[in-house]
Amino acid sequence: MSMKLFFTIGALFAGLGVGLGAFAAHGLKARLAPEMLKVFEVGVRYQMYHAFALLMTAWALSRGTSALLISSGWLFIIGTVLFSGSLYALATSGIKTLGIITPFGGIAFIAGWLCLAIGFWKN
């Protein structure tokens, strides 16, 4: 079940990333200050990276299940919501305190990559 779930969420995150990137380039360009547009684009970039990480996690799970691999998938999802989500909210609202959330997403990303590496190695 985790393999299908992570693949599906990864594909959805990738599609959403394409849509958000296009929205930023065409819909937000005239509405946001250049520095806030860059913040939004960083959110899109990391969402896309971790959409592919979820697809890799699904592939790794197709070769064998482990708690570390499953943890990596959840950490990538949590990281995307916290990191990219907080950057989207910061860029569009201008509420600077939302930036406090972003590092927690980054920590989840790093932990996810470590779990993926160790989990695949042990599997």
Side-chain angles (χ1 to χ4, degrees):
M1 177 64 181
S2 295
M3 178 183 64
K4 285 184 180 182
L5 179 68
F6 293 149
F7 191 92
T8 302
I9 293 172
L12 291 172
F13 274 1
L16 182 61
V18 171
L20 288 171
F23 176 63
H26 302 290
L28 293 178
K29 192 173 186 179
R31 291 190 171 107
L32 293 181
E35 63 274 3
M36 287 296 111
L37 186 60
K38 286 181 183 179
V39 167
F40 195 94
E41 290 171 347
V42 169
V44 171
R45 184 177 337 127
Y46 276 80
Q47 179 172 329
M48 290 300 291
Y49 292 156
H50 291 89
F52 292 125
L54 278 167
L55 298 175
M56 284 193 302
T57 302
W59 172 80
L61 283 165
S62 75
R63 301 178 54 89
T65 301
S66 86
L68 283 168
L69 293 177
I70 292 169
S71 294
S72 72
W74 287 112
L75 286 163
F76 292 143
I77 292 168
I78 292 165
T80 300
V81 170
L82 294 178
F83 186 90
S84 295
S86 67
L87 291 180
Y88 299 147
L90 169 64
T92 57
S93 73
I95 300 170
K96 302 283 186 198
T97 56
L98 289 169
I100 294 168
I101 299 167
T102 310
F104 294 104
I107 291 166
F109 285 153
I110 294 166
W113 285 109
L114 289 172
C115 286
L116 182 62
I118 296 166
F120 189 78
W121 183 262
K122 285 185 165 186
N123 223 14

